[in-house]
Amino acid sequence: MSLELFDLRGRRALVTGSSQGIGFALAHGLADAGAEVILNGRDEEKLADAAGRIAGARQLPFDATDHQAVRAAVDRFETEVGAIDILVNNAGMQHRTPLEEFPADAFEKLLRTNVSTVFNVGQAVARHMIKRGAGKIINIASVQTALARPGIAPYTATKGAVGNLTKGMATDWAKYGLQCNAIAPGYFDTPLNAALVADPAFSAWLEKRTPAGRWGKVDELVGACIFLASDASSFVNGHVLYVDGGITASL
């Protein structure tokens, strides 16, 4: 009986930014738990390649920073295919520069990619979930939702915003039967972190700073995602779940 709480068969999940990295790993994990997954990205070639590696995966290409394009794509999918029961807002980017030298255009791009996408896709999907009285929204935050490091202050600001936007979604939409939560990954070996993974000094620092003593593996985020996407989390709302090897728990 307990395991049935985590069964996602008969549900459909949209994962933004899912052609690689964390997004792809989460989509694959949701599919393994029984969900029909919908992959999203802007690069249709990469998206098609990713979809070919997950049985039954659908593709829904759109630019998550474009509010009108998102609304049109989601509305069309809901009308022509069916309900989106689970949304994982994963699209994001990083830009590393000392704050005093940080380009204004890069700051604006971070805001659009890391924050506006969560609003755009979250609102478009929630409009349909609200009508049905049920839905799961999982936003991908970061260890930088709670902590900061030199050279990434704007990124830290965007991920802090994701954490608080998640709380706002829960506050507004829980009464309609939606559960809106976030996963905050620590340091994971992903394409976004490729430069850090390749830096022996940084990896040595990370291993000492993290109680688990290592980089995270993207598959280690899947369990948290399945939990938040399933009936097992029916009374969890507005929560930011840190999956970080203990880094936010220690000095």
Side-chain angles (χ1 to χ4, degrees), residues 5-231:
L5 291 172
F6 299 91
D7 189 349
L8 300 181
R9 284 177 294 183
R11 302 185 193 184
R12 190 176 288 117
L14 169 62
V15 185
T16 67
S18 48
S19 60
Q20 64 180 6
I22 288 174
F24 179 79
L26 295 181
H28 205 299
L30 291 171
D32 285 345
E36 176 188 330
V37 297
I38 311 156
L39 304 185
N40 160 261
R42 288 181 292 187
D43 187 327
E44 295 192 30
E45 186 175 337
K46 287 176 65 176
L47 201 60
D49 178 68
R53 290 180 280 143
I54 300 178
R58 294 180 179 269
Q59 302 169 55
L60 188 60
F62 58 75
D63 180 353
T65 68
D66 184 333
H67 186 269
Q68 294 302 322
V70 170
R71 179 81 180 271
V74 169
D75 287 353
R76 184 170 59 253
F77 186 93
E78 286 264 348
T79 299
E80 297 178 359
V81 181
I84 297 170
D85 307 294
I86 301 158
L87 167 64
V88 181
N89 271 315
N90 169 75
M93 65 169 293
Q94 176 64 285
H95 187 102
R96 297 180 175 91
T97 305
L99 184 57
E100 67 274 16
E101 300 171 5
F102 210 94
D105 60 342
F107 181 67
E108 294 296 332
K109 188 175 182 180
L110 274 173
L111 289 173
R112 290 194 305 273
T113 305
N114 294 357
V115 183
S116 295
T117 58
V118 176
F119 169 77
N120 292 343
V121 189
Q123 184 190 69
V125 173
R127 288 175 188 268
H128 296 277
M129 291 177 169
I130 288 168
K131 294 174 186 176
R132 292 188 288 269
K136 299 280 190 172
I137 296 178
I138 304 164
N139 300 323
I140 303 303
S142 168
V143 69
Q144 267 79 42
T145 299
L147 303 174
R149 270 190 53 78
I152 58 168
Y155 178 84
T156 301
T158 66
K159 289 303 183 177
V162 170
N164 274 337
L165 183 52
T166 299
K167 294 175 184 179
M169 287 177 169
T171 302
D172 276 14
W173 296 338
K175 63 186 176 185
Y176 299 117
L178 278 62
Q179 287 89 53
C180 307
N181 297 286
I183 297 172
Y187 283 89
F188 281 74
D189 186 352
T190 68
L192 197 67
N193 286 329
L196 298 181
V197 174
D199 183 344
F202 185 88
S203 287
W205 170 85
L206 180 67
E207 289 166 6
K208 291 179 181 179
R209 176 65 180 82
T210 306
R214 61 177 175 82
W215 286 89
K217 302 171 185 176
V218 290
D219 289 346
E220 292 176 299
L221 292 165
V222 170
C225 189
I226 292 172
F227 166 65
L228 293 176
S230 71
D231 290 341

